Amino acid sequence: MHRVFPREDQCMACGLCVVACVVEHSQSKDVLLAYRKENPRPGRRNVVEENVGVSLSLQCRHCEDPACVEACVNGALYIQDGVILVNKDHCVACWMCVMACPYGCMHREDRGDRWNSNKCDLCPGRKIPACVEICPNRALVWEER
Amino acid sequence: MQSSRLWTDSFIDFLVDRDQERCIQCQVCVNQCPYGANIYRAAADIVDSRHENCTGCRRCEAMCPTDCITVRRYPGQFREHGNWTERQVKNLYKQARTGGVLLSSTGAEVDLPIYFDRIVLDACQVTNPPIDPLREPMELRTYIGRKPSSISLSREDGALKLATQIAPQLTCEVPVLFSAMSYGAVNYNFCESLARAAAATGTYWNTGEGGLHRKLYPWQKHTIVQVASGRFGVNKEYLDAAQAIEIKIGQGAKPGIGGHLPGEKVNEDVSETRMIPVGTDALSPAPHHDIYSIEDLRQLIFALKEATDYTKPVFVKIAAVHNSAAIASGITRAGADAIVLDGFRGGSGATPTMIRDNVGVPIELALASVDDLLRAQGIRNEVSLIAGGGIRNSADAVKAIALGADAVYIGTAAKIAVGCTVCQRCYTGKCPWGITTNDPCLSKRLSIEIGTEQLANLVEAWAHEIKEMMGLMGINAIESLRGNRERLRGVGLTDRELNILGIKHAGE
């Protein structure tokens, strides 16, 4: 299965991967509309970790034996063809998955009237995930390992 | 202690023009600007500009996902004056404020004629048909090194054999080499990109005076090492690794003065490679303290040849100055295999502005006069000539070769190929494009993978263009172009200039 892998030595912590992810998961898929008009704005699903000269873009590892799925009290997290997905209608925002994920890849999303957890879905419908495509320094790769 | 803000600080250079209608507060510009020209004001949740910090590198403009930034010249103007231009006035303000020497990077930016732009090439028509480089073989291979004045043959078992022993030669598949840029002044990623690109295209990169990093030894087959006045990083292994050794006497951007690598740029790796303590300024003296004559130079040339068992050519690099031709003749007689001439516009990581913009000779004139004198003295074959300093494109390279060079060196052009926008702030060590910085975070911006591709593409593109230009002149080997000034014509040049360049005026 193809996954997104970060290359720490290439990442310059610009954060364009976060922008691309938000735009890809917006209604309009347009950067200006997604950020300035859509309400609520789609939540982030990835994060750039940066400390003492080390930086990398981090998104769900899609573990084979995922702690988040096990921790989910309401069955909102499930695995489909190896991809871990969240059913936002079932999510009760208890944040057990956020606490369980050892990589810090579960994010909280504010949808105005309610909250739910949010995570990388490997961009269904795209050949290459949006974060990989936008990275100007090839710090994210889409490959099978 | 520096006083607080003065009135002169208001006269800034650039404006980071931000269209707040398009800004999405993603802060990519904030994290990409090492000078702090873009800031996030959390209380208002807006990204704002600090125009006074902007150096005009345009990194933020390039990275902004909504194209909301335009870096522009600050529109405020001084009253026009032919003599007291904005640049002069601001330089005076800066010095009155700091009491220091004005520093710059890159090559001279003064408005002196660029002779390459006033020289045109010949083309074949009807009676001397051009050659199509896509259909017929074209030879770009160049051998850099001393050529014998005559050869003798011997006969062994009926077969002819070359009896003359040929001096060591450097084989370049393309007559374009990467010029000396020292590790420390530029970072490791750029060095490895150069090395990999040189290996991919059959040319060479030059270590400059910064030594050869341990991890770069695998590309030694495409490495020229430099021995400069500071002797940084020079040892037996270093010399043995090289394909050629270059003695650096002078540099086009700063003829007559030594190098200065600020201590802030000397990190663990640079210190190990240069063999100096961490954090100390690396100052190379203006002269080599063991060279005060051609005879002294000869001693160093032969010391290096002896150390490497006469297996590799030794170059001598000088800045183009008034007496270049006579100096070049002396260098040839001192036993050098190649002379590197670095012109007035040659680049630098850190150079006093006054020296950069006022010292030296344009490469076109120096090159022509050196080639002329060596020919007149009958010693042109004893040495190869490499021209550098302001070579911007393949046409400049072709013109330089037709003026007498064997090959050209490119430095600034190579940096531009990996992103440099010529903001001329290399000396700050904060290069926003990750080229002339050793900051580990900033250095990552130059990906070795992408850098190698871009540099190799550049050399390949130039090779194609050089072949096209040779083809249209009906020349199928670069050797036939060298010193072929009959194929050049000047436009709008005086008799004196044409005379020095050794070319006719267009129409003649």
Side-chain angles (χ1 to χ4, degrees):
Chain A
M1 180 185 135
H2 274 68
R3 286 184 172 87
V4 178
F5 293 98
R7 293 166 75 192
E8 182 272 308
D9 58 329
Q10 302 275 107
C11 175
M12 52 188 184
C14 67
L16 283 175
C17 47
V18 177
V19 176
C21 180
V22 167
V23 174
E24 175 62 25
H25 295 93
S26 67
Q27 297 283 323
S28 59
K29 299 201 191 287
D30 176 282
V31 64
L32 284 180
L33 296 177
Y35 271 85
R36 296 184 68 101
K37 298 289 179 206
E38 284 184 29
N39 193 17
R41 181 197 293 181
R44 61 159 63 210
R45 292 158 190 252
N46 54 0
V47 64
V48 177
E49 292 284 354
E50 192 183 4
N51 202 357
V52 290
V54 178
S55 58
L56 72 160
S57 169
L58 199 58
Q59 52 297 105
C60 177
R61 307 287 79 223
H62 297 280
C63 313
E64 280 176 17
D65 187 13
C68 58
V69 175
E70 181 145 345
C72 183
V73 295
N74 213 30
L77 282 161
Y78 62 103
I79 306 174
Q80 192 176 65
D81 302 328
V83 184
I84 301 166
L85 298 168
V86 56
N87 183 335
K88 293 185 181 177
D89 294 333
H90 289 187
C91 177
V92 295
C94 68
W95 312 137
M96 287 306 290
C97 55
V98 176
M99 288 197 282
C101 176
Y103 302 103
C105 290
M106 294 300 303
H107 298 274
R108 299 182 306 149
E109 184 181 36
D110 181 0
R111 291 172 73 197
D113 54 344
R114 56 173 296 191
W115 286 75
N116 58 251
S117 60
N118 202 20
K119 67 179 296 304
C120 166
D121 57 2
L122 295 182
C123 290
R126 285 184 70 104
K127 263 182 151 172
I128 300 174
C131 55
V132 177
E133 196 172 284
I134 200 171
C135 181
N137 226 29
R138 299 186 197 159
L140 288 170
V141 288
W142 174 239
E143 60 188 33
E144 202 162 341
R145 282 188 192 168
Chain B
M1 211 179 107
Q2 219 172 42
S3 55
S4 56
R5 191 179 161 85
L6 280 186
W7 73 94
T8 50
D9 298 344
S10 311
F11 303 128
I12 58 178
D13 292 332
F14 293 99
L15 196 69
V16 188
D17 204 349
R18 188 182 319 276
D19 181 354
Q20 288 292 1
E21 288 287 302
R22 294 183 70 86
C23 178
I24 58 170
Q25 292 84 43
C26 66
Q27 300 177 49
V28 170
C29 55
V30 178
N31 68 46
Q32 291 297 293
C33 182
Y35 299 105
N38 299 290
I39 55 156
Y40 178 63
R41 293 166 62 183
D45 187 31
I46 60 163
V47 177
D48 206 356
S49 309
R50 283 278 171 269
H51 307 300
E52 66 273 23
N53 293 337
C54 180
T55 65
C57 82
R58 304 181 72 192
R59 176 79 185 178
C60 53
E61 213 179 323
M63 295 294 288
C64 176
T66 63
D67 303 324
C68 79
I69 304 172
T70 312
V71 174
R72 293 195 283 124
R73 270 285 173 191
Y74 193 74
Q77 285 177 332
F78 292 98
R79 189 183 172 121
E80 314 72 32
H81 194 291
N83 195 37
W84 300 104
T85 57
E86 181 171 334
R87 181 180 310 181
Q88 303 295 349
V89 170
K90 282 188 177 167
N91 278 349
L92 288 167
Y93 285 155
K94 221 181 280 175
Q95 288 194 296
R97 184 87 152 98
T98 62
V101 170
L102 294 168
L103 269 185
S104 320
S105 304
T106 323
E109 57 171 331
V110 289
D111 192 19
L112 287 186
I114 299 172
Y115 287 97
F116 284 133
D117 290 342
R118 302 197 183 179
I119 295 175
V120 289
L121 297 172
D122 187 23
C124 297
Q125 302 288 295
V126 187
T127 53
N128 48 352
I131 303 170
D132 186 343
L134 296 174
R135 293 194 171 83
E136 295 184 49
M138 280 281 172
E139 181 72 57
L140 284 190
R141 182 179 289 176
T142 306
Y143 295 95
I144 308 284
R146 176 173 289 257
K147 313 290 186 295
S149 302
S150 62
I151 53 166
S152 52
L153 301 169
S154 65
R155 198 175 283 277
E156 265 175 42
D157 302 330
L160 277 176
K161 218 180 149 217
L162 191 63
T164 313
Q165 202 187 346
I166 306 285
Q169 307 283 325
L170 195 67
T171 311
C172 310
E173 298 302 334
V174 185
V176 178
L177 291 76
F178 296 125
S179 62
M181 288 176 275
S182 67
Y183 172 52
V186 296
N187 60 32
Y188 176 82
N189 288 11
F190 188 52
C191 291
E192 188 175 324
S193 303
L194 287 172
R196 283 175 180 269
T201 54
T203 182
Y204 296 84
W205 75 288
N206 188 316
T207 62
E209 58 176 319
L212 184 62
H213 193 284
R214 263 291 113 225
K215 289 198 287 187
L216 291 171
Y217 275 79
W219 293 279
Q220 54 178 269
K221 289 269 175 264
H222 294 274
T223 304
I224 299 170
V225 301
Q226 208 177 52
V227 175
S229 58
R231 301 283 197 274
F232 297 120
V234 178
N235 57 43
K236 178 79 167 79
E237 203 185 355
Y238 173 73
L239 298 177
D240 282 339
Q243 302 310 299
I245 301 167
E246 182 173 292
I247 300 172
K248 178 194 171 187
I249 303 288
Q251 185 177 338
K254 41 182 168 182
I257 67 170
H260 178 187
L261 182 70
E264 297 82 54
K265 277 183 142 178
V266 182
N267 60 20
E268 286 280 339
D269 269 15
V270 174
S271 119
E272 200 180 316
T273 310
R274 288 208 181 208
M275 302 172 181
I276 54 170
V278 176
T280 52
D281 285 14
L283 297 161
S284 24
H288 282 248
H289 288 315
D290 51 355
I291 301 179
Y292 286 87
S293 64
I294 292 294
E295 292 76 12
D296 290 344
L297 176 64
R298 185 178 178 83
Q299 287 202 16
L300 182 59
I301 292 172
F302 279 87
L304 292 170
K305 287 189 174 187
E306 190 70 39
T308 52
D309 210 15
Y310 297 86
T311 54
K312 43 199 73 171
V314 174
F315 302 178
V316 175
K317 176 177 180 174
I318 54 167
V321 289
H322 301 182
N323 268 331
S324 292
I327 297 163
S329 166
I331 293 171
T332 310
R333 290 164 205 280
D337 298 281
I339 298 171
V340 180
L341 258 183
D342 197 13
F344 177 66
R345 292 181 190 278
S348 158
T351 293
T353 311
M354 290 303 130
I355 291 168
R356 183 192 74 167
D357 291 346
N358 293 286
V359 185
V361 172
I363 186 64
E364 304 89 329
L365 301 175
L367 177 59
S369 61
V370 167
D371 183 60
D372 275 345
L373 187 71
L374 296 182
R375 279 170 194 267
Q377 296 184 344
I379 53 172
R380 178 65 183 85
N381 63 298
E382 290 182 19
V383 75
S384 288
L385 265 180
I386 305 176
I391 306 284
R392 302 158 298 170
N393 52 45
S394 58
D396 286 359
V398 166
K399 290 169 190 174
I401 291 168
L403 282 171
D406 288 80
V408 296
Y409 259 147
I410 56 166
T412 307
K415 282 206 195 90
I416 294 173
V418 297
C420 168
T421 53
V422 201
C423 76
Q424 305 168 42
R425 291 290 181 280
C426 318
Y427 63 87
T428 63
K430 289 187 192 173
C431 176
W433 299 85
I435 307 165
T436 57
T437 174
N438 295 318
D439 177 309
C441 299
L442 293 174
S443 300
K444 283 209 268 177
R445 297 182 183 186
L446 175 55
S447 152
I448 294 172
E449 194 181 301
I450 299 172
T452 305
E453 283 173 20
Q454 300 272 105
L455 289 164
N457 283 344
L458 178 77
V459 173
E460 273 168 24
W462 284 27
H464 282 304
E465 289 178 345
I466 293 171
K467 283 182 185 172
E468 289 282 355
M469 281 182 266
M470 281 162 52
L472 64 85
M473 287 190 273
I475 292 171
N476 64 3
I478 197 86
E479 307 252 312
S480 316
L481 178 67
R482 186 183 319 131
N484 196 343
R485 299 192 208 168
E486 187 49 43
R487 311 316 293 273
L488 302 176
R489 290 289 186 274
V491 177
L493 298 177
T494 64
D495 279 355
R496 188 118 188 100
E497 288 166 322
L498 292 169
N499 198 21
I500 294 166
L501 289 167
I503 60 175
K504 293 177 185 157
H505 200 279
E508 285 186 278

